[in-house]
Amino acid sequence: MAAAAAAAASTTAASSGLIRCAAGAPVPGHHQVRCSAKPSPLALRHRAGRPAPVKAHPDSVTPFNYEGEGDGDDHPREECGVFGVVGDPDATSLCYLGLQKLQHRGEEGAGIAAAGDDGTIKLERGLGLVGDVFGDPARLAKLPGQAAIGHVRYSTAGAASSLRNVQPFLAGYRFGQLAVAHNGNLVNYQALRNKLEAQGSIFSTSSDTEVIQHLIATSLSRPLLSRICDACERLAGAYSLLFLTADKLLAVRDPFGFRPLVMGRRPNGAIVFASETCALDLIDATYEREVEPGEVVVVDRRDMSISSACLVPHRPRKSCVFEHIYFALPNSVVFGHAVHERRTAYGRALAEESPAPTADVVIPVPDSGFYAALGFSQTSGLEFQQGLIRWHYSGRSFIQPSQAIRDLAVKLKLAPVHGVIRGKSVVVVDDSLVRGTTSSKIVRLLRDAGAREVHMRIASPPVVGSCLYGIDTPSEGELISNRMDLEGVRRTIGCDSLGFLSLDKLHSIYGDEAHEFCDACFSRNYPVLPTVPEPVPELVSAFED
C-alpha cells in the first residue's frame, strides 16, 4: 500500500470574498445583497439585538466550553474519537466495542452509522456513554451491514446535551447518502459557515463538521474522492475524518497530522480505522500504519480494494504532543511511539531537572500520572507507591452549594492511602497543571492524610496557551501558569516545592522529531492561526436607500 504522494499544487485559500454585489438595477419587490462598508439602517436595527462580534484570536476562537469548575478534574479534555470497520459481517458490533475502548476521548455522546447490503446507511446515536446509548441490543440490531463508522464526543460551547450535535452526521445529497465522523477543530469554521449561509446553505447544528458536509455537497468536482479533496483544500485546522457511503469507507487526515488516525486489519481481512491502536487490539486487528498527514485512504467494500491518494499538499507535521502527555491510553501507539514509553521518559527527565532530594516516596496522580511517576522513581531512586486511589464510579461532580461540599466531591474521586503518606515527604507527579484547582485540592488532601512535605512535579511544561485544534482547554486568563510565575503557582496550590518539565527538555526527548509536534499550548507557536470571519452581507430591501 503506497503512502500519500507529494502534491505539486498549492492549497486553495480558505477564505475569499463572501458574495459579489448584484449587478444591474434592483427589481421592485425583490431583495438584493448589498456589500457596503457603511451599514444600512435596516442592518443597524437588525444588529441592535445581537451581541457584538468577537475578534478571533487564540484565546477565543475555539468553540469549546471548559467545565472544570464543577468537575473535580483539572485536565484538558479531548473532544472526540473515531472508529470504523469495513468488510466484516459484525461491523456494527465491532464498532460498538471499538467505541467502548475510545470512551476516554469523549463521554457525553456516541453514535454509529452502518451501511447495509441494500446500500442504505442507517444511523443510531444518543447522549451518554457508549454502553448507555447502545445498552439496548435492539439499537445495534437496527444497524446491519458490513461497514460502519462510529464517534464519541464531549459537548462543546452552546451544544451541551444536544443530540443534534452527536456524530456521525448523516446526510443525503444528489449522489446518495454520506455519513461523517470528525475528530479535531477547524479554525476557519466561522468564516466558511458565514460564506455558505450567505450562499443559501442551511445549518441544523453548531458543529464545524457540518461545514465539511456542505462543502462536499456544493463542490462541482466528480467523483466523491475529488469532492472530498476539493472540500478539504478549503479547511484549516485539525481533522481526522471517516466517511461512509453505500459502498466505500474513506479515512482522511489533515496535512499537519494534528490528531491521530491509524489503520489495522482483522484476521478475516476486514480493514479498521481508529483514533488509537488500543481499539484495534480489542477486536484482534493488527496495526498496519498511520493514515499519513494529508492522505485519504479509500476502501471499496465490494472487492476490499484499497487505494491511497494525496488529499492536499503536505505541510510540516505538527502532531499534538498532548496525545502522549495525557489523552491517549498508555497501551496505545500514537504517532509511531508507545505512549507509556513517552510518559516514562518524561518522568525520568523531570527527575533530572527537578529532583526532590529530601523526599521519601514518589506517588502518581492516577491514572495518567502513573508512568511519569514510575520514570521519576527509576531515575531518582525514590520508592514508588500508589498513594492515591481513583474512584472510577462517581460520575461528574457538578457544582455543589458550598466549597466544603465541592472539596468532599474531590475526595470521592481521589482517596489517599494513609499508610503510604503519613509522616512522609511525598513527591506527587501529575501529567499537567492547567488551572491549578485540582492540584491545590490534592495538596490539601495529602497534608490532611499526614504528609510531612508535598513536592509537586509536573511531567510537561507550563500550559500558557489555549488549544485551537480539538482540545477543550480554558481561556488563557484561566490558565494559572499564564497568570503567575513559578513561585506564584507554588504558593497558590500550597505545595512545598514545584517543578515542571521544561520545554527544552521535552524537545530533547523527541530529538530530531521535536519539530514534528505541536506544542502551542506551551509555546504559543500556533502552526495554523484562526481565520477572522469577513463581514456578512446583509439582506436588505431593494427599495431601501
Side-chain angles (χ1 to χ4, degrees), residues 350-369:
L350 184 61
E352 293 172 359
E353 278 199 318
S354 300
T358 63
D360 303 310
V361 65
V362 178
I363 67 171
V365 175
D367 295 312
S368 55

Side-chain angles (χ1 to χ4, degrees), residues 340-388:
H340 77 281
E341 291 179 355
R342 293 289 89 181
R343 292 179 184 170
T344 304
Y346 302 154
R348 292 191 184 117
L350 184 61
E352 293 172 359
E353 278 199 318
S354 300
T358 63
D360 303 310
V361 65
V362 178
I363 67 171
V365 175
D367 295 312
S368 55
F370 180 89
Y371 284 98
L374 187 61
F376 193 102
S377 171
Q378 291 170 349
T379 296
S380 66
L382 296 173
E383 181 184 12
F384 175 87
Q385 286 279 1
Q386 193 78 16
L388 291 169

Side-chain angles (χ1 to χ4, degrees), residues 87-99:
D88 197 296
D90 296 319
T92 301
S93 296
L94 293 172
C95 195
Y96 166 75
L97 291 172
L99 293 181

